[in-house]
């Protein structure tokens, strides 16, 4: 693809449809993460589910453009997603600024569940949107096939930590497993038509996907969060494990 200056970036995936499909798969994954992020506030928040949409639209619209232009588009998408989250809770410009500055610290210093403050909701939305922008940029490059999944995984792990303590929540992991499997099947080489034609003959993917779902679901049973403490509480432990002994 050629950028605005007429140069060619050989690392960028050549097929626009394939790049768009990879961004769309990541959008679904981050929507799942946004739905799970509602546990931070002990309720579902639609603004967190759609937080990944503005940077994803910007990424698709600017496919093949120059890197500085893609960076500007990502910044606009992140700002728009955060602004929507802040305004939805009645916040103002000051709350929008706090979402990028003191918001993360506020999430770590408040009790669980976190209060429905515009700056805190904006901070979570900004985190999801920023991770989406990074993942979308990596998804459009050939040499970084699966690296685009790293921001998705890191964001989900952070949200799980902020959401503690909670019961077993297996559905986000199952949906993320499906998302990751689909994303891995769409390698950034060739065209989208070639990739789909290749997958038609790979019937082994269906049982493999089923096995992955079962394994993820069973793994969440022993890894229950019911016994976890709130990471924002600093109460001293009742006893110390004799690790040195």
């Amino acid at each position: 693809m050629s950028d605005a200056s007429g140069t060619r970036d050989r690392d960028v995936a050549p097929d626009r449809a394939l790049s768009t499909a990879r961004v769309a798969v990541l959008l679904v994954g981050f929507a799942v993460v946004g739905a799970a992020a509602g546990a931070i506030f002990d309720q579902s928040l639609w603004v967190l589910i759609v937080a990944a949409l503005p940077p994803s639209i910007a990424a698709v619209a600017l496919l093949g453009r120059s890197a500085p232009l893609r960076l500007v588009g990502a910044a606009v998408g992140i700002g728009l997603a955060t602004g929507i989250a802040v305004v939805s809770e009645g916040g103002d410009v000051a709350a929008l600024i706090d979402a990028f500055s003191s918001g993360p610290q506020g999430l770590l210093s408040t009790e669980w569940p976190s209060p429905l403050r515009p700056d805190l909701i904006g901070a979570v939305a900004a985190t999801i949107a920023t991770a989406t922008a990074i993942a979308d940029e990596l998804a459009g490059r050939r040499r970084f096939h699966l690296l685009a999944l790293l921001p998705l995984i890191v964001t989900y792990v952070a949200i799980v930590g902020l959401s503690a303590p909670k019961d077993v929540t297996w559905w986000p992991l199952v949906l993320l497993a499906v998302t990751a499997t689909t994303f891995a099947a769409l390698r950034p080489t060739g065209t989208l038509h070639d990739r789909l034609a290749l997958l038609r003959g790979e019937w082994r993917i269906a049982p493999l996907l089923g096995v992955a779902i079962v394994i993820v679901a069973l793994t969440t049973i022993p890894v229950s969060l019911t016994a976890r403490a709130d990471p924002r509480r600093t109460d001293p432990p009742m006893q110390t494990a004799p690790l040195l002994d």
Side-chain angles (χ1 to χ4, degrees):
M1 290 185 181
S2 299
D3 59 22
S5 62
T7 60
R8 185 177 182 87
D9 189 350
R10 297 182 179 178
D11 188 35
V12 177
D15 186 63
R16 183 181 182 88
L18 180 57
S19 298
T20 302
R22 285 166 62 83
V23 171
V25 172
L26 289 174
L27 174 60
V28 174
F30 278 104
V32 173
V33 171
I40 298 176
F41 306 95
D42 201 21
Q43 60 181 286
S44 179
L45 296 173
W46 66 269
V47 290
L48 300 181
I49 299 177
V50 302
L53 187 58
S56 297
I57 294 177
V60 172
L62 298 176
L63 282 174
R65 300 299 183 90
S66 61
L69 190 57
R70 295 198 305 269
L71 180 61
V72 172
V76 172
I78 294 171
L80 182 59
T82 308
I84 293 174
V86 171
V87 173
S88 68
E89 293 299 325
D92 51 11
V93 177
L96 179 60
I97 297 175
D98 290 341
F100 289 101
S101 57
S102 60
Q105 181 180 0
L107 286 172
L108 295 173
S109 60
T110 56
E111 294 293 331
W112 183 88
S114 296
L116 289 175
R117 284 170 27 192
D119 59 328
L120 300 184
I121 296 177
V124 177
T127 301
I128 296 175
T130 302
T132 302
I134 296 174
D136 290 343
E137 177 64 23
L138 295 175
R141 297 185 174 275
R142 294 178 177 178
R143 69 178 66 179
F144 303 130
H145 172 34
L146 297 179
L147 189 60
L149 293 174
L150 183 59
L152 179 66
I153 297 173
V154 171
T155 305
Y156 177 69
V157 170
I159 285 174
V160 169
L162 291 173
S163 301
K166 290 290 291 181
D167 295 331
V168 176
T169 53
W170 59 268
W171 65 267
L173 287 176
V174 170
L175 294 179
L176 289 178
V178 176
T179 300
T181 303
T182 305
F183 186 83
L186 299 175
R187 294 184 61 88
T189 55
T191 64
L192 179 60
H193 179 271
D194 295 338
R195 298 305 307 171
L196 294 179
L198 178 63
L199 292 177
R200 290 194 191 104
E202 291 294 337
W203 296 104
R204 292 171 295 179
I205 293 181
L208 179 63
L209 186 60
V211 171
I213 293 175
V214 172
I215 291 177
V216 171
L218 293 178
T219 303
T220 59
I221 295 178
V223 189
S224 172
L225 303 183
T226 53
R228 291 186 60 189
D230 189 332
R232 287 155 288 195
R233 296 181 62 92
T234 57
D235 300 336
M238 298 300 296
Q239 63 181 6
T240 303
L243 296 180
L244 294 180
D245 294 342

